Amino acid sequence: MSTNRFAVIGTGTMGAQAAWQLARAGHNVTAFEQYAPGHPRGAAGGGNRLFRNIELEDAHYAPIVARAGELWANLETESGWRLRELGGALVAGPADAEETRNALAAAQDEPEAEILDVHEARLRFPSHAFDAEDAIVFDRLGGVIRPELTVKAAAGLAVRAGCELRTNTEVVEVEDLGDRVRVVSRVRGTGRAAEGAAGTAGAAAAETRTEYFDRVIVAGGPWTQHLVPQLADTLHSHQLMSAWFTGRTPQVMAGIHPIIRSNPTYLYALPTFDHMGMKLGLGFEHHPQVERPEAGPRQVIPEVMEAFQAKIRRYFPGLDPEPYRVDFYYESYTPSRHEWLGAAPGAQNVIVAAGFSGHGFKMSPAIGEIAAALAVGEQPAVDISFLARAQEAGA
């Protein structure tokens, strides 16, 4: 086993998974988290995320999604937590749209997927409305993920396997020196600053601390470009607004399934786990860019709320179009909408996992495994060469 020291910066959606994979393989891992795993300030918030096996964006993701499904089962078994509810999910959109065609092609290769026409979909899913030109896929193994609990579960397994987890610790600088990586961090406030495999509290650190690691994984979500400035033109932070609605009757809510619609009618809608409400999210045109999540505005813009309500009236006529909750989250995007997953430019010892552009959570266990493999110098179990091609094309 390697004696190298590894650092993981950010224990959110991807970082917690990478730390778990490195630690369970017996590596010496230190994970830095500026808040605590499962915090609500980044992307992994809102109580639920969509799990689906049907890809809209790029067929090259299919092996990653398949591997993620295997690792989700491992994560649930090892942690003891039920992290997903797999009661089926819908994928819909105009039949002639590229993303819908991608979904239909993926469904042909997925034995647990059904392709439905509009008439059949309306009969089976009466709480949903469909456009006359829609094609619909029902993914029987799709469903809903508990995002905050997933992050906490992965981080907890990393600690159990020997990872040193430093919460409330902000990394302020990462520098690849060629033979090692310098990491400068500082503790936020006072109190519990570190927790190791035995669960002991660490002593309060000095204001800043400089350490050296052999390899570093930066998975800082919307903060990544500030730690890896050479990616400042590639990674951009955006604010996403989610709104929650409930049915006019309980029967309407009982019939709501998770759904994602393809462009140009894009939306995603997820029932809460108690089926008392539904979370709705809109497309990229409603995700304003922000410099840093801490500075993002959190007021509801009337025009944006009108766009939410128009989607409710069109596709969920049994729901009350007045939301009972609105909240904001932050994600990292790239121009190509494909993530950066590999070494930072000019820094071969710094592996970056960022820019998932809102579609990475279902793949997160596999992404963590890939990032861990790259950090230890191994070939990932699935092909990711298409990501580099996508970045070059989108640059």
Side-chain angles (χ1 to χ4, degrees), residues 1-2 6 18-29 157-158 161-162 372-373 376 378:
M1 186 62 62
S2 170
F6 296 91
W20 172 43
Q21 292 294 335
L22 284 171
R24 77 197 296 246
H27 295 292
N28 182 339
V29 187
L157 287 176
V376 301
E378 297 177 355

Side-chain angles (χ1 to χ4, degrees), residues 304-356:
V304 176
M305 180 49 63
E306 289 170 5
F308 274 84
Q309 292 172 320
K311 293 291 189 182
I312 290 293
R313 294 187 179 100
R314 180 172 176 179
Y315 294 112
F316 308 95
L319 299 187
D320 183 346
E322 294 297 334
Y324 67 84
R325 174 186 170 190
V326 172
D327 218 332
F328 299 88
Y329 305 94
Y330 299 87
E331 300 209 23
S332 182
Y333 284 75
T334 68
S336 71
R337 308 286 177 85
H338 288 71
E339 54 273 17
W340 187 284
L341 188 54
Q348 292 303 302
N349 295 315
V350 177
I351 306 300
V352 176
F356 290 87

